[in-house]
Amino acid sequence: MTRKIPQIICALFGMTLFLLYFSQHPTARNLNLTILNDYFQIIFAFTLLVGVVSFVKVNLKAFERGEDRSYHLVSVIGVFIMPLLAIIWGIKGDSPFMWVFENIQVPMQATVFALLAFFVASASFRGFRARSVQATILLAAALIMLLSRSTIGDMIADQIPQIADWIRNYPSMAARRAILIGIGLGSLTTSLRVMVGIERTWLGGDK
Amino acid sequence: MKKLESRHYVFLGLFVVILLTMLLNVRLEIRVSPETQKMYNYIDSLPEGSVLMVSFDHEASAVPEIKPLALSILRHAFKKGHKLIGVSLLAEGTGIGYRLMQETAGEYNKVYGRDLVYLGFKPQYIAAILSMGESIPETFPEDYLGRPYTQFPLLDSVKNYDNVAGVISIADGSLTTHWIEYAHARYHVPVTAAVAAVMMTTYDPYISSGQLHAMVGGLRGAAEYEKLLKIGGSGRRGMLAQTSAHLYVIAMIIAGNIVYFLRRNKRVKS
């Protein structure tokens, strides 16, 4: 019974939302709007709560075990400080919340993201080798793309941007389309399997 | 002291190269690509006073790349006299979007409520996109600062996507896909995008099929757009760092392969 009820709710809402998406009837559109604006937001609030509780539990357990205590402490303090700042002073304009966001979070995230450039440079030296024909083709394509996305490519030869466009418009796009179609068919199949109850892993397995 | 490894020298080299290039402040000539020109033409060809929805669908980590792009697009739109409605479907983009819209509105003497309104963040992006197709005031009953939707003259005639000339998604990830798949496919609103360079190939199939009307991408796209607008900006300046970093990576690839072939030949001989 504990598995049947969630399955019935899932199938019912899945079918309802599917039908509502295609219906132009005013009642259907109003119902759709209510579900999108109210139900989805309530679900989001609960998932957020689950995420926060799980994050705090994991970090506190790690703190108790004595692993990298300072990092876990900063993480937990951050989780509580930000909502506190938001509740007391709000999140708009020149609030302390925005100050922390703009002067701590944005530079930190940008720094971490920028570090990728250093790892790419290191990986290009140590791992990007012309070991086979396929690797050589990949390497040549990478060099052309790198040149085309800098200003030097245009200066060296007019053909470099043209070759880069050809790579993007033919081999790259063919692969991308295949992936997109695969994802689409996969999503459709999985959704149907969940709705009709064949796929039950989201309930914790087949037992 | 720990001995430095080869990768540490590679890191140091990249840092020095970027630093020197930025200090030199060389002015590089940039050729405008057809895709950037298409985006420019799209905004340029809209009748004055068109209402555009700008969605800040990015995280804080992408700000150095996204900011020059967003500023160029916003400046162009304001310069042409378009009205802008700002939204954000990723929490981190909310504050950044508000700041950028305020900054550019100030440059062109635009009045909040008449020329621009910032509606802020709505969680659950697919639900938000679909919901705005039915009713924008019900999706965002208040603007970012908590004032009622009905208070703003700009929003008097804006009920859903039918009253919006187009959506510009400023994104560092795949969120533009949802604008294409739901706002364009379901409600037929033209969708354009300003995206991080790494995401450009993701959207190529949508550009090719016409589902995504136009796209401008990366620092290079921002630099090209600044050239079209005949203004200086962080895009053109950022291209210096990007160009030098790209050349450095190319040099590393070549050096790595020379070392690889020399070692292989040595092994074969021995």
Side-chain angles (χ1 to χ4, degrees), chain A residues 29 92 102 150 154 168, chain B residues 99 134 144 204 208 220:
Chain A
R29 293 186 79 157
K92 314 287 162 62
E102 285 181 342
S150 65
D154 305 353
R168 273 179 63 188
Chain B
R99 283 260 193 258
E134 299 298 327
Y144 180 57
D204 280 341
S208 166
R220 170 147 191 156

Side-chain angles (χ1 to χ4, degrees), chain B residues 6-179:
Chain B
S6 63
R7 65 195 167 101
H8 297 128
Y9 291 109
V10 174
F11 294 160
L12 196 65
L14 180 61
F15 174 72
V16 170
V17 164
I18 292 176
L19 191 72
L20 285 177
T21 324
M22 296 300 280
L23 287 174
L24 285 173
N25 200 12
V26 183
R27 191 176 172 85
L28 295 167
E29 195 47 48
I30 293 160
R31 191 184 302 176
V32 178
S33 65
E35 59 195 14
T36 306
Q37 187 69 55
K38 192 180 176 188
M39 182 75 175
Y40 180 87
N41 291 347
Y42 167 72
I43 294 178
D44 216 55
S45 62
L46 289 171
E48 192 182 330
S50 296
V51 177
L52 286 168
M53 181 173 276
V54 184
S55 184
F56 295 87
D57 307 326
H58 58 83
E59 292 169 327
S61 56
V63 166
E65 190 177 14
I66 288 292
K67 191 177 171 183
L69 271 173
L71 285 175
S72 300
I73 301 280
L74 293 173
R75 280 176 179 143
H76 190 199
F78 279 135
K79 195 177 163 189
K80 286 297 294 178
H82 302 322
K83 316 272 185 193
L84 300 183
I85 301 172
V87 296
S88 175
L89 302 184
L90 276 184
E92 287 181 24
T94 318
I96 299 162
Y98 179 69
R99 283 260 193 258
L100 296 179
M101 282 189 76
Q102 288 285 87
E103 186 182 327
T104 43
E107 290 172 19
Y108 294 89
N109 298 319
K110 297 294 174 182
V111 178
Y112 192 90
R114 189 192 69 194
D115 303 306
L116 74 146
V117 169
Y118 195 71
L119 297 176
F121 170 64
K122 188 79 178 174
Q124 296 281 26
Y125 39 81
I126 294 175
I129 292 169
L130 286 170
S131 176
M132 281 193 281
E134 299 298 327
S135 168
I136 299 174
E138 285 196 47
T139 313
F140 289 96
E142 295 173 340
D143 79 335
Y144 180 57
L145 301 173
R147 291 169 294 193
Y149 189 94
T150 46
Q151 188 183 316
F152 305 107
L154 165 61
L155 302 176
D156 279 348
S157 56
V158 180
K159 303 295 170 211
N160 53 35
Y161 295 134
D162 292 342
N163 315 114
V164 171
V167 172
I168 303 169
S169 172
I170 298 171
D172 64 348
S174 61
L175 236 156
T176 308
T177 313
H178 302 299
W179 280 108

